[in-house]
Amino acid sequence: MAVVDADPPRSATRGADQPTLDAVARRVLWLAVRMVHEANHVRPSHGGIKVGGHQASSASVVSILTALYFRWLRAGDLVAVKPHASPAYHAIQYLLGNLDASMLPRLREFGGLQSYPSRTKDPDPVDFSTGSVGLGAVAPMFAALADRYLRIHFHDTVARQPERRFVALVGDAELDEGNVWEAILEEGLGDLGNMTMIVDLNRQSLDRVVPGIRVRRVEAMFAAAGWHAIEAKYGRRLQARFERPDGDALRERIDDMDNEEYQILIRRPGPEARTRLVDGAPAGRRDALARAVAGVPDVDLPELLADLGGHDQGELERVFAVADRERTRPTVVFAYTIKGWRLPFAGDSLNHSALLGAEQVEALGEALGADIGDPWAAFAEGTAERRLCVRRRRDLGYGSPPLDIAPTTAPAMTPPDVRIPATTSTQQTFGDTLATLARDPLVGPRLVTAAPDVAVSTNLGGWINRAGVFAREEGPDRDDVKRPLTWTLGPAGRHIELGISEMNLFMWLSQFGLTGELFGERLAPIGSVYDPFIARGLDALVYALYVHARFILVGTPSGVTLAPEGGAHQSTVTSSLGIELPGLHAYEPVFGREVVWTMLEGIRGCLDPDDGFATYLRLGTRPIDQSLASPVEARLGLDGWRDAVLAGGYRLLDASDALEPLPPGSPVVQVVAAGSVVPEAVAAVRTLHREEIAANLIVVTSAERLAAGQHGGRLDALRHGRADRVGHLGTLIPPAERRAPIVTVADAASHALSFVGGVFGAPVVPLGVDTFGQSGTIPDLYGFAGIDAEHIVEGAILALELDAG
Ligand SMILES: Cc1ncc(C[n+]2csc(CCOP(=O)(O)OP(=O)(O)O)c2C)c(N)n1
Ligand SMILES: [Mg+2]
């Protein structure tokens, strides 16, 4: 079975506008090369650091980008452009009137055009940010799924928008990234008829020419996954040669040649290229091959051999038309190209970061018909190219008012009616809250969840029973046995079940978290994952934040608290994610009510028109006695407690809570604890009180919020000479206690909370999990890691000794 659509029909309009398109492509190439040249060789350099920019990678896709933006795309289509084509992309946007000429000399400059297309920072419209290879390949797939979901769920708005197509233009070496295949295997993405991936098949990565003929294997992999795989392999000149007598000998020879040989052949002078071409053929085919190229002069031969479909506007138009006819499955187009097309280092195995010299740039400008004295000139009035630019600007809807985002209501901050048992875990309350919110008329319709095959074990069951599982068609329940979880499939479903791929979960969050900006309706997407496996998709999580997606990530269970599950499942780095990743609010609630409040705050971050952010909740399965929270409720009341939780923490106990009054002058120590170890911290503080030590217990519900407040205050002080404020930590540790020593404790790496010592310069003993655990009970593992009550007491005494000096 042929996996590739070998000979799809030729397009009737083939060749139309081709000279104009070729002229546009030449100008795009010139502008892209000149932008990189400006950044590296014209703009004053700083500190001898190379600025960079990719002339060869840009040249490789100039023709494809031209075919897309000047021919095939329609208004509303969304495109991800491979990272290293940023200069070529901006050149296109400039010609289409979306970028001022003053930006062209500012590639890679502070406040200028970004090295890699960025939807948040570039001044021209970028649909998907790219940069980390592989992610841009799949972002449009998840956006297409979001488009499908919204068209079904929002009939009055999104469903009325014209159909959109989703395009990923990717480098061939991006397909080395596993996340691409994780998405291709995801069944929910398998029938996206409006998705086209275009592979810029230049056979080169960063370091090398990719060995062998890998494309055959890759095409078969796409086809096996249900994709429609097509090729734009040869340009018109080569195709015409193949039609002539003995042309099939030439075609066979090139088809069967490995990448290394081909790259060498196109870079050799004509006579040598001819000898290599003919001598390398099987003995029985050499004569036919020699005849096939006999009429081609030596000087033209290398160029003829390099005449590939990815640089031929007619061939590109033909394959895009074929892609359009395919409505039931995604299409992948393998567009054969030359890396560094039309540049002196075209096809050179080391051209990835190569830059043209000044003379080469000048010669290129002349060859491409640009005005070297006026390098940023657009097409002159009255030319066919100018008319095309104007027409395409209109066709693509550029200059029209931006999409309105439908108004959304952030949830009321009073807890919904969630029943919180006397003893419960944060994971349990998460599931119960979600199930309750499913029925909320305002928020419910905008909630959507996903999990990478851990829906049941992260407690989404109650929600799924009410919300159903999203599918295009109604499906039968999986079986008719009465079970706690019904799994009702249908278009109304609001849970999306993914296969076991954390990368897919985060890419899903990145696109479902941008639906306001992309399609005009905001969602509150909630993804749940085992906390330790966040690490598996960390780059995609960073991506989701980088593009300013709004979402809630629930990591549960976390830490060594999932005791019997052992060392293979413990998470130690996640508690500092919020501190270390921009744009992520992070909470580790302890009590049921705190889970409800932090979830509502996270939903507000998704829906609030003016204050958008992403939220991470680090939860667990340990049943916690809810009465331990009584002192804070008594002291602050419910509202005060909630505000403190959202600000980052509260004092659960202080010296005045000692069962026996403490003698005046008792030494003061702060016990600062987060998450599931709070019961141990309570026990430790009780012991310290009995030892006549004035211990306070500060529960940190968000190290991130505390650190952000402190950081912001310190920066204010530095930049504006204002008083040094430290945010909520200043409330948690009043002035009289700021020198008191501290012991911190968390079911996480010990450094997670240690920063609190630096705020007022107090000695700190940080306790946490700094080793791999093993299976056991919670007491076994807390003892082993040194985070049980006994260790906290010892840590407090050590902190007092440090303080005493
Ligand atoms: C995740 C990730 N790893 C490594 C890199 C560094 N890198 C940049 S480009 C590149 C090779 C890209 O090759 P290809 O996708 O074929 O693009 P081409 O330059 O050939 O157009 C690599 C390894 C990166 N950007 N992202
Ligand atoms: Mg490549």
Side-chain angles (χ1 to χ4, degrees):
M1 182 191 73
V3 291
V4 174
D5 192 346
D7 200 11
R10 308 272 152 205
S11 155
T13 55
R14 188 183 158 116
D17 254 355
Q18 191 148 323
T20 314
L21 290 169
D22 285 337
V24 170
R26 283 196 296 277
R27 184 61 57 92
V28 173
L29 176 61
W30 163 251
L31 289 169
V33 168
R34 188 62 181 75
M35 281 157 73
V36 178
H37 180 65
E38 180 85 15
N40 286 275
H41 296 138
V42 182
R43 242 176 24 223
S45 77
H46 279 279
I49 291 184
K50 180 182 153 185
V51 179
H54 300 87
Q55 292 173 332
S57 301
S58 289
S60 191
V61 288
V62 154
S63 324
I64 299 172
L65 283 173
T66 302
L68 287 175
Y69 283 87
F70 288 86
R71 184 110 210 160
W72 189 59
L73 292 176
R74 293 190 297 254
D77 292 349
L78 296 174
V79 186
V81 176
K82 69 168 193 176
H84 302 82
S86 156
Y89 178 73
H90 292 304
I92 297 243
Q93 290 298 318
Y94 164 64
L95 292 176
L96 289 170
N98 284 330
L99 191 64
D100 195 77
S102 62
M103 291 305 284
L104 299 179
R106 301 193 56 202
L107 179 71
R108 295 185 167 225
E109 191 178 63
F110 189 68
L113 298 173
Q114 301 303 299
S115 317
Y116 308 111
S118 163
R119 53 172 289 117
T120 52
K121 299 188 205 74
D122 275 318
D124 45 355
V126 170
D127 301 330
F128 299 95
S129 298
T130 56
S132 172
V133 299
L135 301 187
V138 310
M141 295 164 66
F142 286 97
L145 180 65
D147 174 73
R148 169 181 290 174
Y149 180 89
L150 288 164
R151 281 176 195 276
I152 292 174
H153 284 255
F154 293 85
H155 339 92
D156 295 335
T157 53
V158 187
R160 296 188 176 181
Q161 294 169 9
E163 271 184 33
R164 296 172 191 275
R165 294 171 302 179
F166 294 83
V167 180
L169 171 55
V170 306
D172 49 347
E174 292 196 58
L175 301 181
D176 291 352
E177 290 286 4
N179 82 282
V180 177
W181 298 100
E182 291 177 30
I184 285 170
L185 283 179
E186 181 56 58
E187 70 189 26
L189 303 170
D191 60 352
L192 296 167
N194 57 352
M195 171 71 209
T196 304
M197 188 181 292
I198 305 165
V199 181
D200 169 22
L201 193 77
N202 59 26
R203 302 157 302 284
Q204 291 185 238
S205 55
L206 194 159
D207 281 339
R208 59 176 186 165
V209 170
V210 177
I213 319 181
R214 187 185 301 179
V215 61
R216 287 190 187 152
R217 204 181 340 146
V218 175
E219 282 172 347
M221 286 163 72
F222 271 100
W227 282 54
H228 176 215
I230 56 179
E231 289 184 336
K233 189 163 187 183
Y234 296 116
R236 273 158 308 161
R237 294 185 56 210
L238 265 181
Q239 287 183 25
R241 277 275 142 195
F242 298 153
E243 301 293 316
R244 294 163 66 132
D246 297 313
D248 39 341
L250 178 60
R251 179 172 204 147
E252 271 165 39
R253 175 76 173 102
I254 306 182
D255 276 349
D256 294 343
M257 193 179 288
D258 64 30
N259 293 341
E260 295 97 320
E261 188 184 4
Y262 180 78
Q263 297 292 126
I264 290 170
L265 207 63
I266 59 172
R267 290 183 57 72
R268 289 289 174 255
E272 186 186 338
R274 189 182 306 271
T275 315
R276 282 177 178 260
L277 180 74
V278 175
D279 289 357
R285 297 296 275 160
R286 286 188 196 139
D287 291 345
L289 183 55
R291 285 195 298 276
V293 291
V296 185
D298 277 349
V299 292
D300 291 342
L301 188 61
E303 206 183 308
L304 173 72
L305 295 174
D307 179 39
L308 296 182
H311 296 295
D312 184 309
Q313 294 301 325
E315 183 63 6
L316 287 168
E317 186 182 343
R318 181 185 68 78
V319 287
F320 291 153
V322 174
D324 264 344
R325 282 199 288 278
E326 185 65 51
R327 313 288 297 178
T328 57
R329 53 185 178 150
T331 294
V332 57
V333 174
F334 291 90
Y336 284 64
T337 56
I338 304 283
K339 185 159 175 171
W341 179 67
R342 299 199 68 162
L343 305 183
F345 42 60
D348 186 311
S349 62
L350 282 179
N351 64 10
H352 186 80
S353 310
L355 297 174
L356 263 60
E359 281 172 19
Q360 290 175 313
V361 170
E362 230 172 84
L364 180 77
E366 268 160 30
L368 296 176
D371 180 351
I372 295 161
D374 184 10
W376 313 123
F379 293 113
E381 288 293 346
T383 57
E385 292 79 14
R386 173 65 166 229
R387 282 196 297 279
L388 181 63
C389 292
V390 172
R391 179 158 60 79
R392 288 302 290 167
R393 179 177 172 76
R394 204 180 47 232
D395 292 350
L396 290 167
Y398 290 149
S400 323
L403 202 64
D404 279 337
I405 302 183
T408 38
T409 316
M413 285 303 292
T414 45
D417 199 20
V418 182
R419 199 186 69 82
I420 297 171
T423 297
T424 191
S425 69
T426 50
Q427 177 174 303
Q428 181 66 43
T429 313
F430 160 63
D432 294 347
T433 308
L434 205 50
T436 307
L437 287 171
R439 294 193 169 140
D440 183 288
L442 284 176
V443 174
R446 293 187 187 270
L447 290 177
V448 53
T449 58
D453 201 29
V454 290
V456 173
S457 46
T458 58
N459 262 47
L460 292 181
W463 152 262
I464 291 176
N465 282 346
R466 286 186 187 165
V469 179
F470 179 66
R472 279 174 97 187
E473 319 249 301
E474 304 284 349
D477 282 355
R478 277 198 290 209
D479 53 39
D480 52 9
V481 184
K482 268 261 168 270
R483 293 183 311 167
L485 181 69
T486 53
W487 193 267
T488 314
L489 297 170
R494 282 176 282 161
H495 171 72
I496 296 183
E497 184 68 2
L498 301 169
I500 318 169
S501 161
E502 288 73 19
M503 290 300 280
N504 281 349
L505 177 74
F506 293 125
M507 292 310 288
W508 179 88
L509 286 172
S510 80
Q511 299 308 305
F512 275 67
L514 274 183
T515 56
E517 287 81 348
L518 293 178
F519 310 116
E521 290 286 359
R522 285 203 178 95
L523 295 174
I526 301 178
S528 61
V529 60
Y530 282 4
D531 200 60
F533 305 129
I534 286 177
R536 183 67 85 95
L538 199 50
D539 190 35
L541 170 60
V542 173
Y543 176 82
L545 296 168
Y546 181 73
V547 301
H548 295 182
R550 300 157 165 222
F551 56 84
I552 300 176
L553 166 64
V554 178
T556 187
S558 57
V560 291
T561 305
L562 44 70
E565 287 282 309
H569 275 35
Q570 76 186 40
S571 58
T572 49
V573 300
T574 47
S575 64
S576 44
L577 284 181
I579 297 183
E580 290 167 7
L581 290 175
L584 185 63
H585 292 202
Y587 292 99
E588 187 159 356
V590 184
F591 300 105
R593 283 206 164 99
E594 301 176 357
V595 175
V596 178
W597 292 326
T598 52
M599 281 179 69
L600 290 173
E601 172 70 354
I603 295 171
R604 185 180 75 77
C606 296
L607 300 182
D608 190 310
D610 307 313
D611 185 20
F613 51 86
T615 300
Y616 161 52
L617 302 182
R618 190 173 190 259
L619 306 183
T621 43
R622 183 183 191 186
I624 305 257
D625 173 3
Q626 302 294 300
S627 72
L628 288 177
S630 315
V632 63
E633 189 178 344
R635 202 169 3 250
L636 300 180
L638 273 183
D639 286 353
W641 179 15
R642 180 198 65 209
D643 292 348
V645 164
L646 297 184
Y650 51 86
R651 284 164 77 109
L652 182 57
L653 295 174
D654 64 23
S656 68
D657 294 307
L659 300 175
E660 299 286 329
L662 295 168
S666 300
V668 179
V669 70
Q670 314 284 13
V671 176
V672 174
S676 41
V677 296
V678 164
E680 278 65 26
V682 169
V685 165
R686 296 283 181 213
T687 305
L688 289 164
H689 287 171
R690 282 196 294 277
E691 302 287 328
E692 301 194 340
I693 294 170
N696 303 312
L697 173 52
I698 296 173
V699 171
V700 173
T701 48
S702 173
E704 175 273 327
R705 293 284 78 200
L706 294 184
Q710 178 221 347
H711 191 58
R714 288 266 151 93
L715 286 182
D716 265 4
L718 264 179
R719 289 187 186 140
H720 310 296
R722 298 210 190 116
D724 184 356
R725 285 170 311 195
V726 290
H728 189 57
L729 264 172
T731 314
L732 293 179
I733 306 182
E737 292 175 2
R738 290 192 176 164
R739 294 282 160 190
I742 300 173
V743 57
T744 65
V745 59
D747 180 0
S750 61
H751 97 137
L753 295 177
S754 61
F755 73 96
V756 296
V759 180
F760 301 113
V764 173
V765 174
L767 305 180
V769 182
D770 296 324
T771 179
F772 285 109
Q774 52 174 305
S775 301
T777 62
I778 288 179
D780 289 340
L781 285 162
Y782 282 9
F784 175 70
I787 54 174
D788 59 3
E790 209 173 305
H791 282 90
I792 299 171
V793 170
E794 279 171 18
I797 291 168
L798 179 60
L800 284 164
E801 285 170 5
L802 284 176
D803 190 40

